Amino acid sequence: MATTMPHVDIVDDKPIVCLRAGESIVQTKPVFSHDTKCLFCGSGSAVKVYSTESGECVRELQAHTDKVTCLMLNPANKLQLISSGLDAQVFFWDYIDGVMLKSYTFPQPLFGLVSVKISGGQFYFHVLQSSPRKQCFKEGQVVGYKGVSKDLKATIQGVIFESCALDAKTVDMGQKDDYFAGVSTNRKELLIHYNKKCIKYKMQYVEITCVSAHPTELSLATGCSDGKIYYWYSFTNERQMVKSVYHWHALAVLDLTFSPEGSFLLSGGHECTLVKWQYETHYKDFKPRLGSPITHVTCAPDNLLYAVSHQDNGIHLLRNTLDICQIYQGLTKTSFSHGNPVGLLCDPRSRALVTNGRPGHLQFYCLHNDRQLFNLDIVRQNYISSENLEQPLTVTQITKAAIDERGDWLATYELWDDGEMSPEMQLKFWHYDEKKQSYEMNTVVDRPHDKALCSLTFRPYNSSIRSMLPLVVSGGQDCRFKLWTLVDDTDIYRFNSKWTCDSVGFYREMDTGATAFAEDGSLLAVVFGSTITLWDPDTNVLRTTFSSSFDKKNVRQVLFGRKSCCHLLVATTAWQLTVWNLLTCSVQWSVSIGAVVLVDDPLTKYMSVFTHTGDLHVFEPANSQPVFTQTQVSKNDVVSAVFIPHKEESPFSAKGRLLWQRQSQLYFMTKEQDLLTVQYDATENSTDGYIKKTPIKQNLPQSALSLLMSKHRKSGAKDRKHEHIDMSVGIKETQFIQQMCSMSATAQPPLPDFCQAFLETRLSKGTAPRAEAMVIDDEDDDIDDIDSGLQLNINADSDSDMEVTERSRPPSRKKESSENLSHSDVDTKKLDLALGKEYRWFESLVKP
């Protein structure tokens, strides 16, 4: 019996702890590309490029070593993106190819880019940086810099605002770079820099939260903490300054922006509503119930799309008609100060991570694609912001959840307790609907226990026992545990089933703790204080109890072993980890360790335990010697962990590393709600979820003709492996296809003009092309024969493969093609027919 957990080094090159999810994608104001096909978002130290059409993350731009603070397009080249960060770096990106073109180093960390312009071949920057006085953490400066091309360093040119708020939303540049607008450090004054002078306008009783300059006129708008929006006119002259007030928001305005032409103003705040104001009129339109407070609003250059960022780490993409067309959702961070009460669960169907999301929601997050699949509304209540932001409203929250191993059933427990009135508790059972591809509520149980739940667990399925019904155990703080079973509820109106309480158990009126089922579902372990009780779940009969004589502290977690360790039971207390042998009812081994989280892999026999010092130990219950040890995996406390199965076997196991993660990947969440994992290379494309980024150009749709050419190019390459032909033919064909496919459909000449040249590339050297292969018949009857003789099957998931298969043809034609045509002639005939069909399709598009 070991007394301490030994330290084991498996390999010389130690793995690293990588941040897998949890980074905010709303930390900066999103920016559209010039053609509105891409949306750029700052996420940690990277820049994510999202497609506005598919919603996928097509690329990540990584060069910063600290948080990205601002994004903007290069005014001299709309195909380039500029990013700034707290690492005092400004990078110029070619976002299409994902290449960093240029970088400038600044003396201070950058909190925002106010403007970037080029003059005389030199870049001039106006940036928001922190104040040189280190004691003023919220004080910033707007400083002008000149980019030096030789050493790529920025030299200071002048100070615009000596002291201002350190918030990028409170600084903007006016039309034609004539003036700068900012906010004082205490947010009580509006600052205007015009003609090398600084004009100040004081606000009474309110604070300015955001500023937006009009793109064409000498005016600007400011949002305030009381929900009012002020329009400022002729502010360059203090005597002629005029302002007007627009009021709809009940709480502080968090962001506002003008449309590119300046005819509309968009604003958002804590009301979760996007307001669209018509300039200089009181007409307004609304998009309510967006689910979370709005932090940033961005308008596309063509004024067709709006990007709205939210506090729940999500971005809604709206049309100018205020209809939602796309949602980009990162891992939602909850409002719980102690992490996620549900913990981390795995959905067996989608292999997605399930945890708390928005208030009253469960989020299903796919770690393999790094995107959220959907939000499941459990409570079904609208989110309402508190009028006093310092005292948020008490909302109904999900504190416990469990999913059965097949993914057919989901059990949730929700609780509302304000500490003054009697709490509201509900236990809900959800069934997965194959048609709707979502969970539908089946049973609702009001007040399942007299007090709150402390555990909720499904019984595993046993394939050898067909009569085994689904079973759920719930342990409450009322010193009781209840077994819930599925019964038939069919009547003359419908076929249905429901969940009902089958039995209730207790032990010496002791507090109920953790619960767990054996791998085959034949045993149930329920913790009562420092005692572990084993029950028969079918009869609810107590079988035996385990109690340690040398550790009288309460048992925190209990788990049964799996696979070859199914006869073992693992339990943890505040300073002890103990393994019991169910066959001998004795302690197998025990170690002194401050365990805070214990989790098992459902596909293997391995378990992982995290200590209060941040150490990770992976072990088999049958052996006290750990198979893997990593010290200080996180500076923050680990609150939950889970194993997520791979889509394919991990590539690290083939190298003899991290064999315990061969079938599943370990993820753990800290108190700061950062999702971490352990691996060797953060940039290596592994099966556990790192997206293989593709060039943006390849994401554009291809024409049917280019797909057909791709198929014949591949087939021609296979034939050349077995035949001796002139290689110049292949080179000539490749050049011709590249030239033809690089042109747009509207710029290409008529098809008969290059049909002759193309067919010559398809024939071997010295073979004369047939005359009839170059003739395209315009009669409708022949076109109908072509359509019936060819079937084009395009599969987008197979690298633009195309199959050309012959259907039933008139016997005379089929016989003629088989008897009188050679192999190359048949191939040419198929191309002739396909080109004729493509020509008819192209001719119908260009016909006026």
Side-chain angles (χ1 to χ4, degrees), residues 539-581:
T539 60
N540 200 16
V541 175
L542 179 63
R543 294 300 185 184
T544 186
T545 61
F546 293 150
S547 182
S548 177
S549 59
F550 50 86
D551 188 4
K552 295 298 183 181
K553 296 183 179 180
N554 292 343
V555 178
R556 293 183 174 181
Q557 290 177 290
V558 60
L559 287 176
F560 284 91
R562 296 181 181 271
K563 309 301 179 182
S564 60
C565 302
C566 62
H567 62 289
L568 301 176
L569 180 68
V570 183
T572 63
T573 62
W575 296 101
Q576 200 77 19
L577 187 149
T578 306
V579 178
W580 298 81
N581 192 320

Side-chain angles (χ1 to χ4, degrees), residues 327-511:
I327 297 178
Y328 311 99
Q329 184 67 56
L331 189 65
T332 303
K333 294 188 177 182
T334 66
S335 57
F336 291 96
S337 59
H338 56 280
N340 294 4
V342 168
L344 302 180
L345 306 175
C346 178
D347 179 23
R349 290 181 174 270
S350 59
R351 298 181 181 179
L353 178 71
V354 183
T355 184
N356 292 96
R358 298 176 182 173
H361 290 70
L362 286 180
Q363 59 175 326
F364 288 70
Y365 195 88
C366 182
L367 296 171
H368 303 95
N369 298 327
D370 194 19
R371 64 176 302 179
Q372 188 184 89
L373 299 181
F374 61 93
N375 259 318
L376 183 61
D377 189 357
I378 303 297
V379 178
R380 301 187 177 182
Q381 296 177 357
N382 289 330
Y383 176 81
I384 301 176
S385 298
S386 174
E387 295 183 0
N388 187 0
L389 299 179
E390 297 180 357
Q391 296 179 357
L393 296 176
T394 302
V395 297
T396 305
Q397 294 285 6
I398 308 168
T399 59
K400 296 296 176 183
I403 306 177
D404 71 335
E405 62 180 17
R406 295 180 182 176
D408 296 333
W409 291 98
L410 167 68
T412 59
Y413 175 77
E414 57 192 56
L415 173 66
W416 181 90
D417 188 6
D418 62 349
E420 297 180 359
M421 303 179 66
S422 59
E424 297 180 3
M425 299 173 285
Q426 280 189 339
L427 177 62
K428 296 181 180 179
F429 295 92
W430 306 74
H431 184 259
Y432 188 81
D433 193 331
E434 294 285 352
K435 295 182 179 180
K436 297 181 180 180
Q437 293 293 300
S438 180
Y439 285 95
E440 298 293 328
M441 187 161 39
N442 176 269
T443 306
V444 179
V445 182
D446 290 324
R447 204 171 183 85
H449 288 260
D450 293 337
K451 294 184 179 180
L453 254 65
C454 56
S455 64
L456 189 63
T457 310
F458 271 94
R459 178 169 69 172
Y461 289 97
N462 192 341
S463 57
S464 61
I465 304 177
R466 297 183 179 180
S467 60
M468 178 179 291
L469 295 176
L471 192 67
V472 176
V473 59
S474 62
Q477 297 178 4
D478 56 353
C479 304
R480 299 288 188 274
F481 72 90
K482 294 184 179 181
L483 294 174
W484 307 83
T485 185
L486 187 66
V487 296
D488 188 18
D489 189 35
T490 303
D491 54 22
I492 61 174
Y493 301 102
R494 75 206 191 294
F495 292 95
N496 190 34
S497 58
K498 67 176 183 180
W499 290 82
T500 183
C501 181
D502 182 68
S503 58
V504 181
F506 59 93
Y507 181 77
R508 297 180 179 178
E509 296 298 330
M510 300 174 66
D511 294 336

Side-chain angles (χ1 to χ4, degrees), residues 203 206 220-222 224 226 228-232 243-245:
M203 301 290 294
V206 295
L220 59 86
T222 59
C224 297
D226 59 352
K228 295 180 181 180
I229 298 176
Y230 290 84
Y231 284 88
W232 303 75
K243 66 179 179 180
S244 59
V245 181

Side-chain angles (χ1 to χ4, degrees), residues 111-367:
F111 288 83
L113 285 174
V114 183
S115 70
V116 177
K117 60 181 180 179
I118 186 171
S119 177
Q122 298 289 338
F123 281 97
Y124 293 87
F125 305 90
H126 288 94
V127 301
L128 176 64
Q129 65 182 26
S130 59
S131 175
R133 294 178 294 180
K134 296 182 179 180
Q135 67 273 15
C136 300
F137 298 102
K138 296 183 180 180
E139 182 179 350
Q141 289 181 331
V142 177
V143 184
Y145 286 91
K146 177 182 178 181
V148 181
S149 301
K150 293 183 180 180
D151 53 2
L152 297 180
K153 291 185 178 180
T155 58
I156 189 170
Q157 297 291 304
V159 179
I160 304 299
F161 294 131
E162 187 69 30
S163 176
C164 63
L166 198 60
D167 187 356
K169 292 188 291 185
T170 60
V171 182
D172 201 1
M173 174 176 281
Q175 48 106 9
K176 298 181 181 179
D177 302 341
D178 288 338
Y179 67 92
F180 291 89
V183 179
S184 62
T185 305
N186 60 3
R187 296 180 180 265
K188 296 289 187 179
E189 295 178 333
L190 175 65
L191 308 178
I192 302 296
H193 185 274
Y194 180 73
N195 284 340
K196 299 182 180 180
K197 295 182 180 180
C198 185
I199 306 174
K200 298 181 180 180
Y201 296 98
K202 293 185 178 180
M203 301 290 294
Q204 295 182 353
Y205 311 114
V206 295
E207 297 181 356
I208 301 176
T209 57
C210 50
V211 175
S212 180
H214 196 279
T216 59
E217 298 181 3
L218 189 62
S219 64
L220 59 86
T222 59
C224 297
S225 58
D226 59 352
K228 295 180 181 180
I229 298 176
Y230 290 84
Y231 284 88
W232 303 75
Y233 306 94
S234 303
F235 46 79
T236 55
N237 191 332
E238 296 184 51
R239 297 181 179 180
Q240 299 178 359
M241 188 273 295
V242 178
K243 66 179 179 180
S244 59
V245 181
Y246 290 79
H247 192 191
W248 179 88
H249 295 277
L251 301 173
V253 180
L254 297 183
D255 195 22
L256 47 79
T257 186
F258 280 100
S259 59
E261 73 284 354
S263 58
F264 292 97
L265 177 71
L266 304 174
S267 64
H270 290 279
E271 299 85 4
C272 311
T273 300
L274 178 66
V275 186
K276 184 177 181 181
W277 306 80
Q278 190 173 7
Y279 185 57
E280 293 185 341
T281 67
H282 285 274
Y283 174 79
K284 51 187 173 294
D285 199 1
F286 307 94
K287 181 61 179 178
R289 293 184 292 274
L290 290 176
S292 183
I294 297 174
T295 57
H296 297 98
V297 182
T298 304
C299 186
D302 56 4
N303 199 26
L304 295 179
L305 295 176
Y306 305 142
V308 182
S309 303
H310 299 272
Q311 284 185 357
D312 65 346
N313 201 21
I315 300 176
H316 284 77
L317 197 64
L318 289 80
R319 300 183 181 91
N320 55 6
T321 57
L322 301 185
D323 297 326
I324 298 177
C325 60
Q326 200 67 254
I327 297 178
Y328 311 99
Q329 184 67 56
L331 189 65
T332 303
K333 294 188 177 182
T334 66
S335 57
F336 291 96
S337 59
H338 56 280
N340 294 4
V342 168
L344 302 180
L345 306 175
C346 178
D347 179 23
R349 290 181 174 270
S350 59
R351 298 181 181 179
L353 178 71
V354 183
T355 184
N356 292 96
R358 298 176 182 173
H361 290 70
L362 286 180
Q363 59 175 326
F364 288 70
Y365 195 88
C366 182
L367 296 171

